[in-house]
Amino acid sequence: MAVGKEIRNQISSIKSTQKITSAMEMVAASKMRKAQDRMSLGKPYAEKIRSVVSHLANATPEYNHLYLQEREIKRVGYIVISTDRGLCGGLNVNLFKKTVKEMKHWHDQGAEVDICAVGQKAISFFKSYGGNVVAALSHLGDEPSAHELIGSVKVMLDAYDEGKIDRLFVVYNQFLNTMTQKPEIAQLLPLQAADEDDLKHHWDYIYEPEAKDLLDGLLTRYVESQVYQGVVENVACEQAARMIAMKSATDNAGEIINELQLVYNKARQAAITQEISEIVGGAAAV
Amino acid sequence: MGISVHCDIVSAEQSIFSGLVELVVAAGALGDLGIAPGHAPLMTKLNPGPVRVIKQGGEEEIFFVSGGYLEVQPNLVTVLSDSAQRADDVDEAAALEAKKEAERALANQSGDFDYSRAAAQLAEASARLRVVQQLRKKH
């Protein structure tokens, strides 16, 4: 029967799309679990080093490290962490929107913005949007290693050392839970002191060995660990967002299929009714 | 029961230890040092080696760290290690093998030889062995 051939084709093509999206949902779900584990394993270190460094910022050190000094802001640096691949809902878009808003804010104050783009999506976004991309890094995969990041982080740290940028931020998606991810902008440099009242009096660490060597190493480690944690968290967000996006795509495909099936059945029924009435009409005419 | 201080040992991969301790002994960059409760604020680099903690109640535990940092606050001791292991997990045979390998690398140096890297490897392997020996002494 020739009736509704197009509709049948459409239904079968949507069905195959639905199969793909549901497979992607399951893949993302299993990857998300692993990414979440990695994220929670790295968290204690990132949190501890952050608290150590914020103690440090509260101290009144004998040696005033570059990373502890506030400078007049002429140029700021952003490390923007995005995903490599799409099909993860509004994850990257929300992140870029927030970044662009911040960039505008700095531009209004007369400060320039340098960007270190991590992930294919950030690279292509800033290519089309414009923006001074000084370092780019992509294809970190699902298990990013700290070694790969160090190079691009160093570009930004060197720029900070040389006074080319006066503030450094990292932008990534914060994993709140499977359903919600929040774009987050965190200041890396200069260090921000924690609000702890019991640390307000003047004090300093005893440093072994020299304060300079120690702080250089520790603060570089701090920035690297924060960026690494950001990347790992972003991977978990990516998988969670993809899982949700693919789940709703699968659901939507199911809905469309149901609607089309209804239209198809109606059309078929109408054709049959018409044929019968033609036959009856023909028989009556004889 | 003596006075105690809270101690956290974390590595880049995971949290290793968290709890109240009476004493922490670690291999600092300028020599071994012991931290008792109420120590002055201190920050030091750690060499590869054992970190020995005496837990509240006198029980002792040994960890291996391959370098990192130690922060002391009056009521808090934090060990940020590059990688840490419970001493029981340190494999003596593997450590011996690694030490021999590093010594061999140091012995026959060729043109494109990375001296500092081999020296670091040797230091780490010896540190692992030290941990194992310390552990054996205990039992």
Side-chain angles (χ1 to χ4, degrees):
Chain A
M1 197 166 50
V3 168
K5 190 149 186 295
E6 299 89 2
I7 300 182
R8 252 186 330 202
N9 283 343
Q10 212 176 348
I11 288 176
S12 72
S13 99
I14 292 174
K15 267 189 183 150
S16 60
T17 309
Q18 192 186 27
K19 270 183 202 151
I20 294 170
T21 55
S22 80
M24 283 182 78
E25 181 197 334
M26 283 183 271
V27 170
S30 89
K31 279 188 178 172
M32 183 189 75
R33 222 153 291 145
K34 278 185 220 148
Q36 246 178 308
D37 288 345
R38 248 194 311 279
M39 180 181 83
S40 53
L41 284 180
K43 218 157 200 174
Y45 186 85
E47 273 166 12
K48 280 290 157 202
I49 199 164
R50 192 182 302 146
S51 82
V52 167
V53 163
S54 67
H55 289 162
L56 192 69
N58 265 320
T60 36
E62 53 188 39
Y63 163 71
N64 202 353
H65 196 276
L66 201 60
Y67 294 171
L68 296 168
Q69 301 162 4
E70 284 280 349
R71 294 193 293 223
E72 194 198 341
I73 294 159
K74 291 193 275 309
R75 193 173 261 275
V76 293
Y78 277 93
I79 298 178
V80 182
I81 299 168
S82 74
T83 67
D84 274 334
R85 279 179 247 169
L87 289 182
C88 47
L91 191 73
N92 288 319
V93 179
N94 290 342
L95 190 78
F96 295 148
K97 257 190 208 154
K98 187 155 183 180
T99 315
V100 166
K101 213 168 136 198
E102 282 277 310
M103 283 167 66
K104 281 228 176 73
H105 174 71
W106 286 118
H107 275 300
D108 293 343
Q109 294 186 2
E112 300 286 315
V113 178
D114 276 354
I115 287 158
C116 166
V118 181
Q120 198 59 49
K121 289 284 158 189
I123 295 173
S124 57
F125 174 79
F126 286 110
K127 201 180 263 173
S128 65
Y129 177 77
N132 188 12
V133 179
V134 290
L137 180 69
S138 64
H139 300 296
L140 287 168
D142 295 324
E143 292 171 47
S145 80
H147 299 291
E148 292 170 278
L149 287 170
I150 287 174
S152 351
V153 173
K154 196 169 179 332
V155 171
M156 299 310 266
L157 287 181
D158 285 348
Y160 190 88
D161 289 343
E162 291 162 17
K164 279 187 199 153
I165 56 174
D166 306 301
R167 241 179 219 197
L168 182 60
F169 296 90
V170 61
V171 189
Y172 64 100
N173 281 296
Q174 204 179 16
F175 189 94
L176 297 178
N177 56 43
T178 317
M179 301 296 288
T180 3
Q181 296 87 32
K182 198 175 112 219
E184 174 77 12
I185 297 179
Q187 181 173 332
L188 292 176
L189 297 176
L191 302 174
Q192 285 176 315
D195 294 325
E196 285 182 56
D197 289 335
D198 53 335
L199 290 173
K200 283 284 183 264
H201 59 279
H202 283 257
W203 59 279
D204 192 16
Y205 286 108
I206 304 165
Y207 296 98
E208 283 183 21
E210 284 300 300
K212 186 179 180 311
D213 300 344
L214 186 79
L215 292 184
D216 273 348
L218 180 68
L219 295 175
T220 311
R221 181 70 53 81
Y222 163 71
V223 173
E224 281 165 7
S225 88
Q226 295 303 311
V227 174
Y228 174 71
Q229 191 61 23
V231 170
V232 172
E233 195 155 345
N234 202 61
V235 170
C237 287
E238 176 189 356
Q239 300 302 349
R242 180 165 298 135
M243 189 181 87
I244 302 298
M246 288 301 114
K247 185 171 164 37
S248 63
T250 310
D251 293 350
N252 288 345
E255 260 167 48
I256 294 177
I257 289 172
N258 283 344
E259 275 167 27
L260 286 175
Q261 195 72 50
L262 196 66
V263 173
Y264 171 71
N265 288 349
K266 272 185 187 162
R268 195 183 61 134
Q269 199 56 54
I272 292 169
T273 313
Q274 195 189 350
E275 256 175 58
I276 290 174
S277 61
E278 273 168 11
I279 291 167
V280 170
V286 171
Chain B
M1 200 172 72
I3 45 168
S4 55
V5 58
H6 191 87
C7 173
D8 284 311
I9 301 179
V10 294
S11 80
E13 291 97 32
Q14 66 199 92
S15 170
I16 305 284
F17 174 82
S18 176
L20 291 172
V21 299
E22 289 176 5
L23 186 70
V24 181
V25 181
L30 300 182
D32 285 12
L33 69 166
I35 311 289
H39 196 286
L42 169 104
M43 194 174 286
T44 180
K45 226 175 141 132
L46 291 181
N47 283 341
V51 172
R52 195 156 60 88
V53 298
I54 296 176
K55 290 195 278 196
Q56 203 175 28
E59 201 188 328
E60 187 179 283
E61 206 162 336
I62 300 177
F63 302 93
F64 169 77
V65 301
S66 63
Y69 295 91
L70 172 78
E71 188 219 16
V72 181
Q73 288 282 340
N75 50 6
L76 181 72
V77 178
T78 312
V79 178
L80 295 167
S81 92
D82 300 340
S83 77
Q85 272 177 313
R86 282 184 185 272
D88 306 341
D89 301 339
V90 176
D91 183 352
E92 184 176 14
L96 260 177
E97 184 57 39
K99 188 180 173 194
K100 273 197 201 125
E101 185 63 39
E103 276 169 346
R104 197 159 45 236
L106 278 174
N108 45 27
Q109 304 181 4
S110 55
D112 55 348
F113 179 73
D114 189 348
Y115 183 83
S116 57
R117 203 184 136 136
Q121 274 172 357
L122 179 60
E124 189 178 324
S126 326
R128 273 178 204 272
L129 279 176
R130 248 172 82 198
V131 172
V132 173
Q133 278 149 12
Q134 231 180 57
L135 197 68
R136 192 168 294 151
K137 215 162 56 193
K138 205 179 89 182
H139 291 303

